[in-house]
């Protein structure tokens, strides 16, 4: 593998320049261009990136490796050793529907929210520890998604950006915000849950005109033939074109692979959904992500989604299923050279957890940080032409 990495090193600069500076100009961005955006900081413009991960999780090494090569800082709060009494106290007294594994997963999310509440940070992105993301997440995907959300929640801060003209090379640059700014993700009073990692937020196309939304070009969206068929069908029905993404008011956001909260919304989650039944002892619920979906769909929470998603889970044994079946999933998840044998992640272009990247050799890791993480060159077999570009 090292030989392969050294071979492509000489092509790195040219391939990166070509990929990110021609693809959008050739097709005409509907809102803005990649070459006008600064990469996000190490916490993706949030106060912190928090991983939900229990001690001894087999998924943690792969998560931290991917974060290392893509320049992302992740905090992992310690989880309590929950007892059966804790699980029983969590269950709804009226018709509990949750199994033990899902209860522990829900409680783990609550633990992450409490950790965030103990800080003075204004926002946090919460990830499950089996998620994957593109190597372009920090370089372009997050800046584009953040700008789209700002256009929806802070209309005066960003509108459409004038197209560059050959006759006016010194055209004014669009306003930019430092990624450490609390307003990098828009007006924090205008959103409560931001779903940028999910397993689908699908709804009929006729509803789109009634939902605030922004469509923008993103050259790192997989071709529709490589997306999950339901995702591709959804994008087509919404009127998107190839290599376009949409940020929209959430309608049916299922799964909590990666979602952002503010201090106010974290407090609201803990107060209203701190147990299966909540403070009023509501009917039972099968999972935390179903409860958050209901909050967005039925209870008027201010929620937004990015589609296709920026985070998706790897293909690996279900931790919830393992808990319910009494399977110890500590240690390696699969055969191969790393903790996971990730061949590709649904809806994610050039996932950072690919088995083609994983290494415990320090020199190789540093090389990957420079070429993959900082320059965005995809070295995964079968991804484009090997230089980060689609044919």
């Amino acid at each position: 593998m090292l030989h392969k990495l050294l071979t492509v090193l000489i092509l790195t600069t040219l391939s990166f320049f070509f990929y990110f500076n021609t693809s959008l100009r050739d097709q005409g961005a509907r809102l803005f261009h990649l070459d006008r955006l600064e990469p996000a900081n190490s916490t993706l413009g949030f106060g912190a990136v928090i991983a939900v991960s229990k001690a001894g999780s087999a998924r943690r090494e792969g998560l931290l490796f991917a974060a290392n090569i893509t320049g992302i800082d992740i905090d992992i709060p310690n989880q309590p050793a929950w007892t059966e009494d804790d699980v029983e106290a969590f269950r709804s007294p009226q018709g509990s529907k949750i199994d033990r594994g899902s209860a522990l997963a829900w409680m783990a999310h609550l633990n992450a929210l409490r950790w965030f509440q103990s800080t003075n940070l204004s926002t946090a992105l919460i990830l499950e520890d089996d998620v994957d993301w593109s190597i372009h997440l920090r370089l372009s995907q997050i800046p584009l998604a953040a700008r789209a959300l700002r256009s929806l929640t802070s209309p005066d801060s960003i509108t459409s950006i004038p197209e560059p003209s050959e006759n006016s090379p010194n055209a004014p640059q669009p306003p930019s915000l430092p990624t450490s700014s609390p307003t990098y993700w828009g007006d924090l009073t205008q959103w409560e849950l931001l779903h940028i990692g999910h397993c689908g937020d699908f709804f009929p196309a006729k509803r789109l005109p009634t939902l605030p939304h922004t469509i923008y070009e993103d050259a790192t969206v997989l071709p529709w033939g490589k997306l999950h068929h339901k995702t591709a069908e959804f994008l087509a029905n919404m009127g998107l074109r190839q290599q376009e993404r949409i940020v929209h008011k959430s309608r049916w956001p299922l799964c909590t692979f990666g979602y952002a909260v503010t201090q106010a919304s974290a407090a609201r989650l803990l107060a209203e959904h701190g147990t299966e039944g909540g403070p009023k002892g509501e009917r039972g619920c099968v999972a935390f992500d179903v409860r958050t979906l209901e909050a967005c769909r039925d209870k008027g929470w201010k929620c937004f989604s990015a589609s296709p998603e920026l985070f998706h889970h790897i293909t690996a044994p279900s931790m919830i299923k393992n808990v319910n079946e009494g399977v110890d999933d500590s240690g390696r998840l699969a055969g191969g050279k790393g903790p996971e044998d990730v061949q590709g992640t649904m809806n994610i272009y050039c996932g950072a957890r690919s088995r083609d990247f994983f290494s415990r050799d320090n020199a190789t890791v540093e090389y990957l940080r420079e070429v993959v993480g900082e320059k965005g060159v995809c070295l995964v077999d079968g991804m484009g032409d090997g230089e980060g570009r689609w044919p």
Side-chain angles (χ1 to χ4, degrees):
M1 176 177 175
L2 187 57
H3 175 73
K4 176 184 175 182
L5 297 178
L6 292 175
T7 300
V8 300
L9 178 59
I10 60 174
L11 300 174
T12 297
T13 303
L14 288 176
S15 64
F16 178 75
F17 178 84
F18 178 86
Y19 177 68
F20 281 107
N21 290 279
T22 63
S23 59
L24 289 184
R25 289 196 189 96
D26 290 345
Q27 300 176 30
R30 288 159 91 167
L31 279 183
F32 32 76
H33 291 276
L34 281 178
D35 59 354
R36 290 174 169 243
L37 297 171
E38 291 294 325
N41 67 3
S42 62
T43 55
L44 306 178
F46 299 102
V49 179
I50 305 171
V52 178
S53 180
K54 70 175 185 178
S57 170
R59 297 153 179 80
R60 189 176 294 191
E61 184 181 16
L63 174 79
L64 294 179
F65 174 83
N68 185 13
I69 67 169
T70 54
I72 299 172
D73 291 334
I74 294 182
D75 286 294
I76 305 180
N78 291 327
Q79 291 186 22
W82 284 294
T83 66
E84 291 304 316
D85 288 342
D86 293 328
V87 173
E88 287 304 312
F90 173 82
R91 294 182 186 276
S92 173
Q94 299 183 18
S96 176
K97 297 180 180 179
I98 200 163
D99 58 43
R100 183 173 182 273
S102 294
L104 290 173
W106 190 330
M107 293 161 67
H109 278 271
L110 298 175
N111 180 68
L113 291 168
R114 292 188 187 98
W115 184 91
F116 169 53
Q117 285 270 280
S118 73
T119 74
N120 61 359
L121 302 172
S122 58
T123 59
L125 175 64
I126 298 178
L127 304 177
E128 296 179 351
D129 70 357
D130 61 348
V131 297
D132 195 7
W133 58 86
S134 170
I135 64 169
H136 303 105
L137 179 73
R138 188 176 60 82
L139 298 177
S140 61
Q141 291 181 348
I142 287 294
L144 286 167
R147 178 164 284 189
L149 187 67
R150 291 199 301 271
S151 74
L152 293 174
T153 61
S154 307
D156 295 333
S157 66
I158 287 282
T159 56
S160 61
I161 295 171
E163 295 291 335
S165 168
E166 294 181 1
N167 299 322
S168 57
N170 297 318
Q173 294 294 305
S176 61
L177 290 171
T179 54
S180 58
S181 168
T183 56
Y184 184 75
W185 284 99
D187 185 342
L188 302 188
T189 67
Q190 297 303 305
W191 63 268
E192 293 177 285
L193 294 177
L194 175 57
H195 296 90
I196 56 177
H198 53 79
C199 53
D201 186 349
F202 304 136
F203 51 86
K206 64 183 181 181
R207 287 192 175 273
L208 184 61
T210 68
L211 300 176
H213 65 277
T214 295
I215 296 171
Y216 60 94
E217 192 158 358
D218 184 343
T220 67
V221 175
L222 282 166
W224 289 357
K226 294 180 179 289
L227 291 170
H228 189 277
H229 68 92
K230 289 186 177 180
T231 303
E233 181 181 3
F234 172 77
L235 297 178
N237 289 342
M238 295 300 117
L240 273 69
R241 301 187 296 242
Q242 295 276 355
Q243 294 190 320
E244 286 187 333
R245 204 180 299 271
I246 181 172
V247 170
H248 56 89
K249 192 174 188 301
S250 302
R251 175 62 188 167
W252 200 286
L254 187 60
C255 302
T256 48
F257 302 148
Y259 62 99
V261 293
T262 65
Q263 283 287 351
S265 62
R268 188 177 182 188
L269 280 170
L270 290 167
E272 298 184 18
H273 304 303
T275 60
E276 181 190 7
K280 297 180 180 179
E282 297 180 38
R283 60 180 175 80
C285 182
V286 296
F288 176 67
D289 65 326
V290 174
R291 214 39 130 197
T292 57
L293 183 156
E294 292 171 345
C296 297
R297 185 192 63 197
D298 305 328
K299 298 186 177 181
W301 284 49
K302 301 172 184 176
C303 308
F304 289 87
S305 301
S307 298
E309 65 274 17
L310 304 183
F311 297 90
H312 201 92
H313 70 77
I314 61 174
T315 300
S318 166
M319 182 179 294
I320 291 175
K321 181 179 179 181
N322 286 342
V323 168
N324 290 336
E325 296 180 354
V327 176
D328 181 5
D329 66 354
S330 61
R332 297 165 71 87
L333 290 177
K337 63 184 178 181
E340 302 125 0
D341 192 18
V342 181
Q343 301 181 46
T345 302
M346 186 183 300
N347 292 349
I348 301 298
Y349 168 63
C350 199
R353 290 177 85 151
S354 168
R355 65 181 180 184
D356 284 10
F357 291 139
F358 187 82
S359 175
R360 295 189 178 98
D361 176 73
N362 290 336
T364 301
V365 171
E366 286 304 311
Y367 175 83
L368 292 170
R369 283 175 57 87
E370 177 185 353
V371 175
V372 174
E374 294 299 326
K375 298 179 179 178
V377 179
C378 185
L379 305 177
V380 175
D381 291 337
M383 280 287 177
D385 62 2
E387 297 174 15
R389 301 185 301 237
W390 289 107

